[in-house]
């Protein structure tokens, strides 16, 4: 029984304490004049002239006030100001405040100031219990860097954060941000975007549905359906990083960079892009299943390397690809160690161990150059320097047509090899057939140079020049072991037959893992970004100087 009585008394004491804390009275500190007029304002104390009242750390000043003592409620008129420590200053023409529920209401040219920013609106509510101010009238927020305008908003005093869930615009001298869901931290200038949002500047246009923007450092990070659009280029990726001061961007996973002027496309899973706004000379690096796709006579050329660099002005781009380079086009494919392609000159250099397949022709040499025509967007010519070698299978036997020499010069017509000149130390083995495709002999000869005319991707004529040696042999008179020229290597099993063949297995494995991860991420509930540690710790890491 004693325990029960003690518990009851304890509960009553707790309840009394809570009620006492909740019902602390508004304190009148000063007024030039005070009066009670039951007819005009029943149950209210009228205060006039330099009115100053306070309640639990908040101070009100105004020209005139009605204080309802029973309700612990005050109405303030004329030059109203509410001050909460050094964190919040609120000015208006009229305000109301309840000491019971610790809520304030202000209207008429409302100005709310914090150490970092100023809000101007018509009406505002402030809940001291949760330290939140909110407004549903058009508001304008200004600080040193930005101006924010919105139809409504909420301010979290402790976090120094504005939250907007309707149309909001941030205007900065360098850009404009628009969103329907934005969290803006006034101390750090950090903005968190959610839902369709845009950032527009002279240099580019950014779209995202989930992102972060540091308005002081001009550094940003975007995650969902994001892209950066320049006048000549569109950058997309699962995640994007952008530094406006350096004009640097990086993209990660499912990266796609579209050259809108030159009709080119680059893909991969990681890219870095630098832009020089003065010289217009840009540079781009892309890796992880990288591929550059360019349009050549209404057909796409696919070039892959473990690492690719693209530099230069629009119309003068240079593409470099390194390590196990492969390329594919419907009528042509090839491999080499590295490649250098100059858009302005139309010259593409295949460097170290080059091999090229044009239809059924296999071509090798120490150095290989492809020359394009920029006006017609067609391949114009081919150079193979040192140890040039062309091999193609004979259509009706197990033999191989072969031509070799020091250098090879070829001409294309409609992207097909039309004419070939083999210069210096030329050798040939060629299976000669009549119109009925009957074998009439095997031409094995040497000479100073050879000219070949190809028709329908088959050799139509072969002409030998100077110092000709050799003959046309009946098949039975030319032993098998003499039907291959020195240095002959048939590499048909290496031939790239589709655009997917340009990727080695290890890079396909990387791609499969990234796509699986993306499927899992897309299946998750879509939520705004969590505040970064640098946002939450901003004041701790950036203390204000102590004024002595």
């Amino acid at each position: 029984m004693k325990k029960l009585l003690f518990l009851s008394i304890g509960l009553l004491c707790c309840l009394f304490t809570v009620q006492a804390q909740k019902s602390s009275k508004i304190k009148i500190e000063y007024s030039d004049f005070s009066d009670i007029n039951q007819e005009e304002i029943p149950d209210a104390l009228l205060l006039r002239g330099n009115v100053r009242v306070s309640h639990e750390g908040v101070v009100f000043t105004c020209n005139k006030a009605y204080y309802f003592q029973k309700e612990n409620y005050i109405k303030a008129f004329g030059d109203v100001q509410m001050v909460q420590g050094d964190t919040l200053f609120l000015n208006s023409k009229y305000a109301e405040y309840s000491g019971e529920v610790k809520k304030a209401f202000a209207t008429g040219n409302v100005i709310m100031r914090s150490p970092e920013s100023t809000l101007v609106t018509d009406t505002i509510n402030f809940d001291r219990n949760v330290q939140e101010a909110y407004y549903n009238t058009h508001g304008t927020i200004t600080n040193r860097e930005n101006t924010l305008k919105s139809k409504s908003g909420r301010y979290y005093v402790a976090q120094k954060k504005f939250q907007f869930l309707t149309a909001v615009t941030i205007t900065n001298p360098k850009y404009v941000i628009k969103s329907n869901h934005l969290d803006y931290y006034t101390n750090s200038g950090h903005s968190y975007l959610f839902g369709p949002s845009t950032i527009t500047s002279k240099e580019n246009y950014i779209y995202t549905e989930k992102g972060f923007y540091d308005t002081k450092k001009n550094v940003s990070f975007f995650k969902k359906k994001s892209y950066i659009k320049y006048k000549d280029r569109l950058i997309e990726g699962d995640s994007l990083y952008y530094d406006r001061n350096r004009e640097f961007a990086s993209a990660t996973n499912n990266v796609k960079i579209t050259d809108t002027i030159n009709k080119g496309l680059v893909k991969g899973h990681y890219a870095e892009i630098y832009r020089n706004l003065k010289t217009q000379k840009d540079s781009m690096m892309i890796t992880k299943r990288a591929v550059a796709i360019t349009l050549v006579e209404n057909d796409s050329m696919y070039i892959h390397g473990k690492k690719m660099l693209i530099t230069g002005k629009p119309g003068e781009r240079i593409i470099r690809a390194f390590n196990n380079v492969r390329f594919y086009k419907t009528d042509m494919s090839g491999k080499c160690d590295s490649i250098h392609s100059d858009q302005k000159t139309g010259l593409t250099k295949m460097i170290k161990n080059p091999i090229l397949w044009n239809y059924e022709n296999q071509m090798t040499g120490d150095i290989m150059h492809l020359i394009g025509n920029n006006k017609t967007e067609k391949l114009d010519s081919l150079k193979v320097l040192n140890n040039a070698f062309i091999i193609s299978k004979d259509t009706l036997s197990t033999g191989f047509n072969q031509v070799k020499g020091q250098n090879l010069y070829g001409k294309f017509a409609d992207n097909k090899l039309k004419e070939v000149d083999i210069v210096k130390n030329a050798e040939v083995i060629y299976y000669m057939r009549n119109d009925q495709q009957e074998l009439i002999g095997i031409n094995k000869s040497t000479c100073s140079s050879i000219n070949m005319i190809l028709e329908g991707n088959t050799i139509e004529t072969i002409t030998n020049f100077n110092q000709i040696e050799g003959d046309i042999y009946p098949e039975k008179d030319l032993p098998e072991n003499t039907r291959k020229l020195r240095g002959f290597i048939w590499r048909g099993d290496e031939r790239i037959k589709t655009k997917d063949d340009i990727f080695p297995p290890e890079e396909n494995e990387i791609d499969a893992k990234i796509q699986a991860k993306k499927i899992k991420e897309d299946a998750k509930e879509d939520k705004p970004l969590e505040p970064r540690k640098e946002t939450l710790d901003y004041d701790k890491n950036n203390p204000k100087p102590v004024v002595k």
Side-chain angles (χ1 to χ4, degrees):
M1 186 66 183
K2 288 182 179 180
K3 289 184 178 180
L4 181 61
L5 180 62
F6 179 78
L7 180 61
S8 300
I9 292 171
L11 288 172
L12 286 172
C13 289
C14 290
L15 182 62
F16 178 78
T17 303
V18 171
Q19 289 294 331
Q21 290 177 351
K22 188 175 181 181
S23 304
S24 61
K25 294 295 183 180
I26 295 172
K27 185 186 295 184
I28 300 171
E29 296 187 359
Y30 184 83
S31 175
D32 290 341
F33 175 79
S34 64
D35 188 21
I36 296 176
N37 190 328
Q38 289 291 346
E39 293 182 2
E40 182 180 346
I41 314 164
D43 300 323
L45 177 64
L46 172 62
L47 305 171
R48 289 181 180 173
N50 298 309
V51 179
R52 178 185 172 95
V53 301
S54 63
H55 183 255
E56 296 183 6
V58 65
V59 177
F60 290 87
T61 58
C62 61
N63 295 332
K64 174 184 172 183
Y66 297 153
Y67 175 39
F68 299 88
Q69 298 179 65
K70 290 182 180 179
E71 291 84 1
N72 201 20
Y73 193 85
I74 191 168
K75 293 183 178 182
F77 305 84
D79 295 329
V80 181
Q81 185 178 64
M82 183 185 82
V83 179
Q84 179 179 271
D86 61 354
T87 59
L88 196 68
F89 303 84
L90 195 152
N91 294 80
S92 63
K93 289 183 177 181
Y94 173 77
E96 297 179 10
Y97 177 74
S98 170
E100 294 297 307
V101 294
K102 298 181 185 179
K103 292 183 179 180
F105 165 82
T107 188
N109 296 333
V110 176
I111 300 175
M112 187 182 77
R113 291 177 291 113
S114 68
E116 295 83 13
S117 63
T118 300
L119 164 66
V120 177
T121 187
D122 182 68
T123 302
I124 199 166
N125 293 272
F126 179 50
D127 186 340
R128 294 189 64 207
N129 299 291
V130 291
Q131 289 293 297
E132 294 180 13
Y134 55 95
Y135 62 94
N136 291 313
T137 54
H138 284 81
T140 300
I141 301 159
T142 56
N143 60 18
R144 291 182 181 180
E145 295 86 13
N146 308 298
T147 299
L148 293 82
K149 292 185 177 182
S150 67
K151 293 179 180 179
S152 62
R154 185 176 292 268
Y155 181 63
Y156 299 83
V157 178
Q159 299 176 52
K160 299 181 180 179
K161 179 183 79 172
F162 277 99
Q163 184 177 78
F164 309 96
L165 301 179
T166 56
V168 57
T169 301
I170 300 179
T171 302
N172 181 284
K174 294 183 178 181
Y175 54 83
V176 175
I177 300 176
K178 291 186 177 182
S179 181
N180 284 325
H181 186 155
L182 182 144
D183 288 354
Y184 178 77
Y185 291 80
T186 58
N187 54 346
S188 61
H190 293 174
S191 296
Y192 291 83
L193 307 163
F194 186 62
S197 308
T198 62
I199 304 170
T200 307
S201 68
K202 290 182 180 179
E203 292 79 27
N204 55 43
Y205 174 88
I206 299 172
Y207 176 88
T208 186
E209 293 187 9
K210 186 185 292 186
F212 163 83
Y213 199 107
D214 186 331
T215 61
K216 288 185 178 181
K217 295 181 179 179
N218 280 320
V219 171
S220 49
F221 174 76
F222 309 109
K223 281 203 72 174
K224 182 183 177 185
K225 297 181 180 179
S226 307
Y227 63 80
I228 304 174
K229 185 178 182 181
Y230 295 92
K231 290 180 180 178
D232 61 338
R233 190 171 283 173
L234 178 68
I235 304 168
E236 302 169 82
D238 290 351
S239 63
L240 301 176
Y241 171 85
Y242 177 55
D243 184 333
R244 188 177 296 276
N245 295 326
R246 294 192 296 146
E247 273 304 324
F248 167 78
S250 66
T252 304
N253 294 346
N254 295 302
V255 179
K256 185 166 71 170
I257 303 168
T258 306
D259 189 330
T260 54
I261 292 178
N262 301 303
K263 302 176 183 178
L265 181 65
V266 180
K267 292 182 178 182
H269 288 306
Y270 181 75
E272 294 181 355
I273 304 98
Y274 294 87
R275 292 182 64 86
N276 190 317
L277 300 177
K278 292 182 179 180
T279 64
Q280 294 298 309
K281 291 182 178 180
D282 306 334
S283 64
M284 174 170 57
M285 183 280 294
I286 191 159
T287 186
K288 293 186 178 180
R289 208 171 185 264
V291 57
I293 307 168
T294 54
L295 191 65
V296 181
E297 197 197 16
N298 298 319
D299 190 9
S300 294
M301 170 82 85
Y302 298 80
I303 302 175
H304 163 74
K306 286 189 176 180
K307 181 178 179 181
M308 302 188 75
L309 297 177
I310 301 174
T311 58
K313 298 179 180 180
E316 299 179 9
R317 306 280 194 215
I318 293 176
I319 299 176
R320 298 178 180 90
F322 306 95
N323 299 336
N324 195 16
V325 174
R326 306 177 183 192
F327 64 89
Y328 170 80
K329 194 170 169 288
T330 53
D331 50 17
M332 182 180 294
S333 62
K335 298 167 62 175
C336 56
D337 183 69
S338 60
I339 205 166
H340 183 288
S341 184
D342 189 323
Q343 185 181 35
K344 185 177 180 180
T345 62
L347 174 62
T348 298
K349 298 178 182 178
M350 299 174 63
I351 303 166
K352 196 174 180 181
N353 301 320
I355 180 169
L356 179 71
W357 292 276
N358 178 241
Y359 290 99
E360 303 305 319
N361 299 307
Q362 173 188 296
M363 286 167 273
T364 56
D366 294 347
I367 299 171
M368 195 173 291
H369 293 174
L370 288 164
I371 300 96
N373 187 314
N374 288 333
K375 291 182 179 180
T376 62
E377 295 185 343
K378 296 179 180 180
L379 280 172
D380 179 76
S381 55
L382 165 72
K383 291 181 182 179
V384 181
L385 307 177
N386 300 330
N387 299 312
F389 209 133
I390 300 180
I391 305 172
S392 66
K393 272 189 173 183
D394 178 53
T395 54
L396 298 176
S397 72
T398 59
F400 293 88
N401 296 312
Q402 305 154 58
V403 182
K404 65 176 290 189
Q406 182 167 326
N407 299 325
L408 179 153
Y409 302 95
K411 293 291 291 182
F412 288 92
D414 296 324
N415 287 322
K416 294 179 181 179
L417 199 57
K418 182 68 176 177
E419 184 175 359
V420 173
D421 287 301
I422 304 291
V423 178
K424 199 172 183 181
N425 301 327
E427 299 179 60
V428 62
I429 291 178
Y430 179 62
Y431 288 71
M432 303 183 67
R433 297 182 180 276
N434 58 24
D435 294 340
Q436 287 74 41
Q437 295 300 304
E438 297 170 337
L439 183 64
I440 58 176
I442 301 174
N443 180 352
K444 183 175 182 181
S445 57
T446 62
C447 58
S448 177
S449 61
I450 295 173
N451 174 268
M452 296 191 304
I453 303 297
L454 293 87
E455 190 66 41
N457 198 42
T458 59
I459 299 174
E460 184 74 11
T461 61
I462 294 180
T463 306
N464 296 0
F465 296 93
N466 301 330
Q467 302 174 5
I468 301 170
E469 294 182 9
D471 205 345
I472 298 174
Y473 299 90
E475 183 179 15
K476 61 182 177 62
D477 294 341
L478 190 64
E480 285 284 345
N481 60 359
T482 62
R483 296 183 188 182
K484 292 179 181 177
L485 298 176
R486 187 175 181 180
F488 173 94
I489 301 175
W490 177 245
R491 298 166 63 183
D493 57 337
E494 299 179 38
R495 183 176 175 181
I496 299 163
K497 298 179 180 180
T498 71
K499 59 184 177 64
D500 294 324
D501 290 344
I502 63 175
F503 301 110
E506 62 270 18
E507 297 206 34
N508 286 331
E509 289 176 9
I510 291 173
D511 179 66
K513 289 179 181 178
I514 289 172
Q515 301 312 330
K517 183 180 178 181
K518 180 173 172 56
I519 291 171
K520 288 183 179 180
E521 289 294 324
D522 290 345
K524 293 180 181 178
E525 182 183 354
D526 196 18
K527 296 180 180 180
L529 289 172
E530 292 292 330
R532 299 160 72 99
K533 192 174 187 298
E534 62 192 87
T535 302
L536 300 176
D537 296 342
Y538 185 83
D539 286 339
K540 183 174 68 176
N541 297 328
N542 298 272
K544 293 181 180 179
V546 178
V547 180
K548 296 182 179 179

